[in-house]
Every structure is written in C-alpha cells, then in structure tokens.
Amino acid sequence: MPFLIAAVVLVGVVCALNLVLTFAVIRRLREHSAKLADQRPGGPELLAKGSRIPEIVATGLDGEDAPRRPALIGFFDTECKACPAQVPHFLRLVEDAGYDRSQVLAVVSGPYDDSYAQAMGSAATVVAEPFNGPVVTEFSVTAFPSFYLVGEDGRVRSGAVTVLGLGVPVIA
C-alpha cells in the first residue's frame, strides 16, 4: 500500500509540474505572436495604400519638376541578405510591365556597392545614398527590401517587402 500512495503522489507532482510548464510555454508563444504581428508585410514599415509619395520623389530627385513620376520604386540595402535575391524579380517586373528607365527608381542604401548600379542601371534610375539617406528617410523605410507601385496621381497603389507581393503592376 505504501508503494501505491508514493506512486499517486509522484504522478500528482509530475502533473502539476507539467501544468506549470505548459502555462509558461503558452505565455511565451503569445509574446512571440504579438512581435510577429508587427513584422508582417504591409505592416507599419510600409507607406499605406493610397498615401502620397514624398515630395523628394514626386518632383524629381534633382529638385526640378519632373514631367513623370516613378511608377515603381525599390529600396535595397547593400548589407541586406535578402536584397540581391529580389533584383531579378524587380528587373522582370520592369520588363513585363513595359516601364522605361524614367519610370523606375531603385534606391540603394548603405556602404557604396556598384553591383546594384551595374545590375539595374539600364532598367532604372539608381540612387546610391548612405544609410538613412534622404530618400530612405522621406519614405520612413525600416525594412529592406521594400517596393512600391505608384499611380499617375502620385499615390501608393501597392507596397510590399517582396516584388511578388506587389501584385498587378500599374501600367503608366
């Protein structure tokens, strides 16, 4: 009989310990879920659909009024591991949509690296700037890469952290 009592007490202690650990895991999962919700594409790091693009781009990077505004804008960082993989998709979108070089802006942030200018120079206006340069700051870019499709009215039609996430291009 004493063995039976010891076994029941042992099972009770193990069950109580299991319950405490389960509650700890559930609490940790809720914390991680809340953090991940803020990092989803289309979240707070991108301009909202329908918002106006910053004036620095709407009037042309040289400050003069531009007869056109970019229809596609891509933000890349030279230290970003995901950015080089998006370049072929970016170039394919430019080709498939039929954009000319004046309608496409590629902003490369970070330490100077001419590989982006070489890869995209024929298809886009490439702007190289230091980390947190003027264009990146105006767009409040916090995630690299980031992409925007812009309508003729200068409003964001679509924004995403991958080219494929942009959806159907706006033909300008």
Side-chain angles (χ1 to χ4, degrees), residues 76-146:
F76 302 90
D77 189 316
T78 57
E79 296 178 340
C80 165
K81 293 181 181 177
C83 290
Q86 290 298 312
V87 172
H89 299 296
F90 186 75
L91 295 173
R92 190 172 311 117
L93 176 59
V94 170
E95 184 180 327
D96 291 348
Y99 294 135
D100 65 30
R101 188 174 184 273
S102 67
Q103 295 175 296
V104 181
L105 177 64
V107 180
V108 181
S109 178
Y112 182 74
D113 181 358
D114 68 342
S115 63
Y116 285 94
Q118 290 175 356
M120 297 183 288
S122 63
T125 301
V126 179
V127 175
E129 60 182 26
F131 184 70
N132 286 334
V135 180
V136 169
T137 302
E138 284 291 317
F139 271 83
S140 301
V141 175
T142 59
F144 291 97
S146 294

